[in-house]
């Protein structure tokens, strides 16, 4: 990693600041430009490993912070971590036990990349769709969401789906995004609510 990122100013700044990855600097920039996390919000981080966003979130709010990832997350003070698939009903049940209410959701998750742009984008959109379905199940009415996605032929479909569930939706491309990347963040504010009964809802988006 040293040879790959040694001259990357964002990586070096993140490391010098004690963050686990350069992604921390992206979240700090996103929040500075889009202040959607309040000082007492309970935040759910989907795809949280290695935990740099959790570090930033702990600085932003005194609320409950829960991070979920398929890979184990090195423990940190003041943060609850869960190892598992966030689409698993058992994991969702655990989240509900830990969080009396969810005021915000962040998702910086990416699928395993194949190198084929169209395939990778399709996989990313599917992951985004699953995260959106989790939001529909656990996010409090009026809550906010930050989600990483990738531009491509299915991006407009995802964007329009999110617009059905939030009063305000916009895109944001971080200045720290690597050149040539199609990475794009979706900032969704003020969740409409009207959530379906969890017992009647499937995470594939069907009733």
């Amino acid at each position: 990693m040293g040879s790959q990122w040694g001259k990357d100013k964002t990586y070096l700044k993140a490391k010098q600041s004690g963050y686990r990855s350069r992604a921390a600097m992206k979240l700090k920039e996103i929040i500075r430009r889009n202040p959607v996390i309040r000082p007492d919000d309970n935040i759910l981080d989907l795809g949280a490993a290695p935990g740099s966003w959790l570090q930033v979130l702990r600085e932003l709010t005194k609320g409950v912070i829960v991070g979920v990832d398929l890979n184990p997350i090195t423990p940190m003070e003041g943060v609850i971590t869960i190892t598992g698939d966030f689409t698993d009903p058992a994991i969702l049940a655990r989240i509900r036990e830990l969080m009396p209410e969810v005021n915000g959701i962040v998702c910086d998750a990416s699928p395993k990349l194949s190198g084929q742009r169209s395939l990778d984008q399709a996989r990313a959109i599917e992951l985004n769709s699953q995260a959106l379905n989790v939001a529909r199940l656990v996010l409090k009415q009026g809550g906010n969401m930050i989600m990483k996605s990738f531009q491509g032929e299915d991006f407009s479909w995802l964007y329009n789906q999110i617009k059905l569930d939030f009063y305000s939706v916009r895109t944001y491309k971080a200045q720290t995004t690597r050149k040539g990347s199609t990475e794009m963040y979706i900032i969704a504010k003020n969740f409409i609510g009207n959530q379906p009964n969890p017992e009647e809802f499937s995470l594939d988006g069907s009733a």
Side-chain angles (χ1 to χ4, degrees), residues 49-120:
S52 61
W53 275 32
L54 293 172
Q55 290 176 290
V56 175
L57 291 169
R58 186 69 287 167
E59 297 170 358
L60 295 173
T61 175
K62 296 179 181 179
V64 178
I65 299 175
V66 175
V68 183
D69 200 283
L70 291 170
N71 300 307
I73 302 169
T74 302
M76 67 181 71
E77 186 176 354
V79 172
I80 302 168
T81 60
I82 302 173
T83 302
D85 184 342
F86 62 71
T87 67
D88 184 340
I91 297 297
L92 289 173
R94 179 61 177 152
I95 290 169
R96 290 193 184 96
E97 290 176 0
L98 294 168
M99 308 182 79
E101 63 180 26
V102 180
N103 308 106
I105 292 178
V106 298
C107 180
D108 194 43
S110 293
K112 291 184 178 180
L113 301 179
S114 67
Q116 295 182 328
R117 178 164 291 191
S118 60
L119 177 59
D120 290 340

Side-chain angles (χ1 to χ4, degrees), residues 1 8 15 28-29 44 54-55 65 104 109 141 155 187 192:
M1 179 176 289
D8 186 311
K15 187 174 182 180
K28 290 173 78 73
E29 177 192 337
L44 173 62
L54 293 172
Q55 290 176 290
I65 299 175
Q141 187 174 9
F155 183 82
I187 316 297
I192 294 172

Side-chain angles (χ1 to χ4, degrees), residues 172-191:
Y172 181 79
K173 191 172 184 68
Q175 294 178 353
T176 48
T177 298
R178 301 183 195 100
K179 291 183 179 179
S181 173
T182 62
E183 180 182 272
M184 182 69 71
Y185 286 89
I186 298 174
I187 316 297
K189 301 179 182 179
N190 201 354
F191 181 56

Side-chain angles (χ1 to χ4, degrees), residues 158-177:
L158 173 69
Y159 187 81
N160 288 329
Q161 288 296 306
I162 296 174
K163 286 177 66 176
L164 296 175
D165 292 294
F166 293 84
Y167 283 108
S168 172
V169 182
R170 61 166 297 194
T171 59
Y172 181 79
K173 191 172 184 68
Q175 294 178 353
T176 48
T177 298

Side-chain angles (χ1 to χ4, degrees), residues 10 12 23 30 42 46 49 54 69 79-80 85-86 97 105 115-116 133 136-137 140 150 154 176 187 194:
T10 302
L12 293 174
I30 291 168
N42 298 331
L46 303 176
L54 293 172
D69 200 283
V79 172
I80 302 168
D85 184 342
F86 62 71
E97 290 176 0
I105 292 178
Q116 295 182 328
N133 286 335
R136 289 168 174 162
L137 288 170
K140 182 182 178 181
F150 295 89
D154 296 324
T176 48
I187 316 297
N194 298 320

